[in-house]
């Protein structure tokens, strides 16, 4: 797990990153800039329980690709979930909160993840224990903002012009960040890589 010290504002950006792409990088950079984060952790998951593992590249390969893609400035790339043998975000957050209790944490995700967030294990616990920043993605904005998560926690939405206050707010608190979007997806990339040349 990356180091940290009291008062740091850390964004946690988890995913299988299979493979990582410019859309992921845009989400990470948007969150860093708009939230005023001290650092952002790319947390490379052993495998998303909601996705097909038959097409999952080895974790070392995905780590190398994320390191090549991620900004060198104020970011950490880690796969500590594999060491602790956890696959659910709720378990990951519980471990980070226990071992880095002096950090101000924000969970960062794309709007495509927000649209299906209600299918995540213990999604209400996550929403009520860590602020969440959602970065817009192409063709999913309305579905994300109409999702069970968005409806259930509408009272806790923070206007995007106040996004920099998110790390300092008690959960539940979330914001939706509009801005430039990148249409690339891991599914599209895998399709290109498997297509005959």
């Amino acid at each position: 797990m990356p180091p940290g010290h009291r008062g740091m504002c850390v964004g946690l950006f988890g995913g299988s990153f299979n493979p990582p792409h410019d859309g992921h990088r845009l989400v990470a950079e948007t969150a860093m800039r708009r939230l005023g984060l001290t650092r952002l952790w790319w947390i490379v998951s052993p495998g998303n329980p909601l996705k097909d593992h038959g097409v999952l590249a080895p974790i070392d390969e995905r780590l190398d690709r994320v390191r090549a893609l991620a900004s060198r400035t104020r970011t950490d790339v880690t796969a500590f979930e594999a060491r602790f043998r956890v696959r659910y975000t709720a378990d990951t957050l519980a471990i980070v909160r226990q071992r880095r209790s002096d950090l101000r944490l924000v969970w960062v995700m794309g709007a495509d993840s927000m649209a299906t967030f209600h299918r995540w294990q213990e999604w209400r616990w996550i929403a009520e224990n860590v602020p969440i920043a959602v970065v817009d993605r192409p063709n999913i904005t309305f579905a994300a903002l109409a999702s069970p998560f968005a409806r259930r926690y509408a009272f806790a939405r923070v206007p995007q012009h106040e996004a920099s206050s998110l790390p300092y707010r008690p959960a539940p608190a979330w914001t939706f960040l509009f801005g430039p979007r990148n249409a690339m997806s891991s599914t599209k990339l895998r399709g290109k890589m498997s297509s005959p040349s």
Side-chain angles (χ1 to χ4, degrees), residues 119-194:
R119 296 176 56 201
W120 293 24
Q121 187 91 353
E122 298 187 64
W123 67 279
R124 290 183 183 88
W125 182 92
I126 297 169
E128 292 169 12
N129 281 273
V130 65
I132 297 172
V134 182
V135 180
D136 200 11
R137 295 273 290 139
N139 307 314
I140 198 72
T141 308
F142 295 113
L145 291 173
S147 67
F149 164 75
R151 294 197 309 270
R152 170 69 178 81
Y153 294 101
F155 69 93
R157 184 174 177 183
V158 176
Q160 65 172 338
H161 68 270
E162 297 178 14
S164 61
S165 71
L166 195 65
Y168 303 93
R169 292 176 179 257
W174 64 281
T175 194
F176 193 96
L177 302 176
F178 295 94
R181 295 174 293 180
N182 185 299
M184 185 49 68
S185 73
S186 295
T187 303
K188 286 181 182 177
L189 273 178
R190 287 196 301 272
K192 287 181 179 180
M193 291 189 293
S194 62

Side-chain angles (χ1 to χ4, degrees), residues 54-105:
V55 295
L56 188 65
I59 195 164
D60 288 342
E61 179 181 321
R62 290 181 284 126
L63 270 168
D64 287 343
R65 288 184 173 185
V66 170
R67 287 187 183 111
L69 178 76
S71 167
R72 300 288 191 273
T73 306
R74 297 185 292 129
T75 61
D76 298 284
V77 178
T78 178
F80 69 84
E81 287 177 321
R83 178 186 169 197
F84 288 99
R85 299 185 180 185
V86 297
R87 290 177 32 175
Y88 295 111
T89 298
D91 296 328
T92 300
L93 289 172
I95 290 169
V96 175
R97 282 159 50 96
Q98 178 186 32
R99 291 176 174 260
R100 299 287 186 271
S101 59
D102 53 353
L103 301 181
R104 295 184 181 278
L105 304 172

